[in-house]
Amino acid sequence: MTKPVTFIDGDQGTTGLQIHSRLQARSDITLITLPDDRRKKRAEREKSLNECDIAILCLPDEAAREAVSLISNPSVRIIDASSAHRLSEGWTYGFPELTHDQPMAISTARKVSNPGCYPTGAVGLLYPLVQAGLIPPDYPYVISAVSGYSGGERQAIERFEKQATSAEVAYQAYGLKMRHKHVPEIQYYAGLSAGPLFLPAYAGFRQGILLTVPLVHTQIPVSIATEQLHACLTQHYASSRFVRVMPSDESSALDRLDPQKLNGTDDMELAIFSDPRQTVLTAVLDNLGKGAAGAAVRNLDLMLQV
């Protein structure tokens, strides 16, 4: 039986290198990349893109759009790890845990767009609760998230690691122009009426994400019952291999969360913390695992099932 040919376009970036590392020893696919002297030549890329079975795009948004435009072979299937096509018509959102039917939608899709690392946590928390009517779609959501500096790709990695002794490494808020590219994605897939206020930051560790969503009970027209929120998330992810909802007795014993807890895995852990006045929803994941390369490989595995 012929092995499916998988081509990574952009295997020199952070996500591309991670995906290549995960796939290079696999015996069920034929993995193709281009050497340095060929990977920037348009004709070479176009040839590889049209001769593979599945193309994985690990490129900046504009380059990803260009790559898609170069594909004329209707048999080629695409996984785009950029944010270029997450809201585009004809693309399937590559978050298998979104709904019960999402794995099948991904497995049969021709074009799949990986979720963003932050939206994986935000949508993972909010979508089930909004759909169940336990929290309103029109609440003024504030999402705060801190990521390891590898979330900024090569430039951020070089800046942080060159300044390893500088106070600048400790914590840097960014996206303060309030136009972060993940906001429309979170709004759309979480089912919110408006874009949330999103406050991202990089910290002085290489990888890992801690994302929080606070809910102030007096500002929500529906009654917030922590037990119902927890039960909803637990039921939604009951069959998931990669998403765990922290048991209530475990979360109630904690007063801190480590954003690096799941580094090196493709897992995500959701938890709920509350008192009579407020509730905080939290997600921890590896931005290079569940938030990037792990998501792409999971989507590849689903697509190979067909």
Side-chain angles (χ1 to χ4, degrees):
M1 182 177 179
T2 303
K3 297 178 183 179
V5 176
T6 301
F7 170 55
I8 304 176
D9 191 7
D11 67 322
Q12 298 303 304
T14 306
T15 299
L17 287 169
Q18 290 266 331
I19 294 172
H20 185 273
S21 175
R22 289 165 178 253
L23 298 180
Q24 61 183 345
R26 285 181 49 161
S27 60
D28 60 329
I29 61 172
T30 298
L31 183 63
I32 294 177
T33 59
L34 291 175
D36 288 346
D37 61 340
R38 294 168 54 196
R39 64 186 177 86
K40 292 186 178 181
K41 295 180 179 179
R42 179 186 173 101
E44 295 279 0
R45 289 178 57 229
E46 184 171 6
K47 182 174 184 293
S48 297
L49 285 165
N50 283 284
E51 291 182 350
C52 68
D53 294 296
I54 300 179
I56 304 178
L57 310 181
C58 302
L59 303 162
D61 287 5
E62 285 305 315
R65 293 186 185 98
E66 179 195 37
V68 172
S69 74
L70 295 177
I71 299 174
S72 57
N73 181 353
S75 298
V76 174
R77 305 174 75 192
I78 308 166
I79 299 171
D80 184 7
S82 81
S83 62
H85 298 101
R86 290 173 188 155
L87 297 176
S88 297
E89 185 176 353
W91 287 77
T92 298
Y93 196 52
F95 184 24
E97 295 85 4
L98 183 68
T99 68
H100 175 75
D101 298 328
Q102 202 68 12
M104 179 59 69
I106 293 168
S107 69
T108 58
R110 178 173 175 254
K111 297 184 289 186
V112 173
S113 182
N114 260 23
C117 54
Y118 292 129
T120 296
V123 174
L125 284 167
L126 295 174
Y127 174 81
L129 302 179
V130 171
Q131 288 298 304
L134 297 177
I135 56 176
D138 58 352
Y139 179 79
Y141 291 96
V142 176
I143 299 172
S144 178
V146 60
S147 168
Y149 56 77
S150 59
E153 295 291 336
R154 183 175 298 175
Q155 289 183 345
I157 292 172
E158 291 176 353
R159 183 174 69 252
F160 273 90
E161 294 186 347
K162 285 179 180 177
Q163 299 173 351
T165 59
S166 168
E168 182 184 358
V169 203
Y171 187 91
Q172 291 181 354
Y174 70 101
L176 298 178
K177 295 185 183 298
M178 307 300 172
R179 293 192 295 271
H180 196 284
K181 65 182 181 180
H182 287 322
V183 169
E185 179 184 351
I186 293 171
Q187 178 186 346
Y188 183 81
Y189 289 106
L192 307 183
S193 301
L197 175 57
F198 180 51
L199 303 171
Y202 293 135
F205 50 88
R206 195 175 195 278
Q207 62 199 81
I209 285 178
L210 169 59
L211 180 142
T212 63
V213 184
L215 304 172
V216 180
H217 296 180
T218 57
Q219 296 180 11
I220 297 181
V222 296
S223 175
I224 291 289
T226 304
E227 296 80 7
Q228 286 184 301
L229 301 182
H230 190 274
C232 177
L233 291 178
T234 300
Q235 180 179 10
H236 187 87
Y237 296 108
S239 61
S240 173
R241 289 172 50 199
F242 300 104
V243 181
R244 173 181 185 261
V245 180
M246 187 184 295
S248 298
D249 58 347
E250 188 177 332
S251 60
S252 63
L254 297 176
D255 65 357
R256 66 190 67 190
L257 286 174
D258 180 4
Q260 303 178 79
K261 177 181 180 180
L262 297 177
N263 282 2
T265 78
D266 295 336
D267 299 335
M268 177 167 67
E269 185 171 69
L270 310 180
I272 300 175
F273 300 86
S274 66
D275 67 17
R277 300 171 296 116
Q278 57 207 355
T279 294
V280 178
L281 311 174
T282 69
V284 173
L285 64 152
D286 183 347
N287 59 293
L288 299 182
K290 181 64 172 170
V297 172
R298 170 66 173 146
N299 289 327
L300 173 67
D301 288 340
L302 287 169
M303 294 167 79
L304 290 173
Q305 293 177 5
V306 178

